[in-house]
Amino acid sequence: SIPIFRVAILITPLAALPLDGLLRATGQTRYLFRIFFWRLLITVPAVLLGLKTFGMVGAIGGHAIAESAIRVAMLDRARRELDASWREVLPWRQLSVIALASAVACAPAAVITRLAAEGPRPFLALCAAGAMYLATYLLVIAMMPGEGSPLARLRRVLLGHTAPAAA
């Protein structure tokens, strides 16, 4: 089940975008009906093909590919509805900082997890891996170049706080 989860988690970044609500709010319900119809038509064969070719991991992979394609199409429609360019539609720079910090934080957590997997009681080591991930993630964000102190950068990335404007 872990390989299936690893593939399924890849959908999370696109699934987190509130595209359905945005398109409903802009009156694009007919578009939503059509895109959901296409999602059904694309997902069923992708899942069946993935299942036949690669088993359960292939099935979730087929779903992930189909869902991602539809979400990108919905993002493009939302971008056009908002008259925004691809650079403007999402905060790409902030997302890249978060992605980099997440990727770097995976390394020490993965090492601890691999070592713990061989032990008889891995729970405490897995808790330590989670704590190490958090510490590394925060450290990477704090050390990124940018305006303000490391604490100010942490607040800005994690909480969306900005420094108060000088009067």
Side-chain angles (χ1 to χ4, degrees):
S1 66
I2 291 174
I4 293 170
F5 176 74
R6 286 179 180 157
V7 173
I9 201 76
L10 295 175
I11 305 171
T12 303
L14 287 173
L17 297 174
L19 298 171
D20 302 41
L22 186 138
L23 291 169
R24 281 189 186 102
T26 57
Q28 296 299 316
T29 53
R30 181 173 285 146
Y31 172 79
L32 284 171
F33 177 79
R34 286 193 315 262
I35 198 77
F36 290 154
F37 176 75
W38 281 106
R39 177 173 25 189
L40 179 65
L41 289 182
I42 293 170
T43 302
V44 171
V47 168
L48 293 176
L49 181 65
L51 183 63
K52 183 175 171 75
T53 309
F54 300 108
M56 291 299 289
V57 173
I60 195 67
H63 172 265
I65 290 169
E67 181 70 20
S68 297
I70 294 300
R71 299 295 288 183
V72 168
M74 290 172 68
L75 180 60
D76 182 55
R77 180 60 176 245
R79 178 191 65 79
R80 285 185 277 135
E81 286 298 315
L82 298 173
D83 290 326
S85 68
W86 279 105
R87 294 184 98 177
E88 298 168 329
V89 74
L90 289 173
W92 297 107
R93 186 171 173 359
Q94 292 91 338
L95 291 174
S96 65
V97 167
I98 292 170
L100 177 65
S102 298
V104 170
C106 283
V111 169
I112 293 171
T113 304
R114 295 248 186 243
L115 295 174
E118 298 167 5
R121 293 191 175 155
F123 180 71
L124 287 177
L126 292 176
C127 290
M132 181 58 79
Y133 178 91
L134 175 65
T136 307
Y137 179 80
L138 294 175
L139 180 68
V140 170
I141 288 176
M143 301 312 292
M144 286 281 187
E147 293 180 21
S149 68
L151 182 59
R153 286 192 293 276
L154 279 174
R155 287 175 52 113
R156 187 172 50 250
V157 170
L158 297 178
L159 304 174
H161 290 190
T162 57

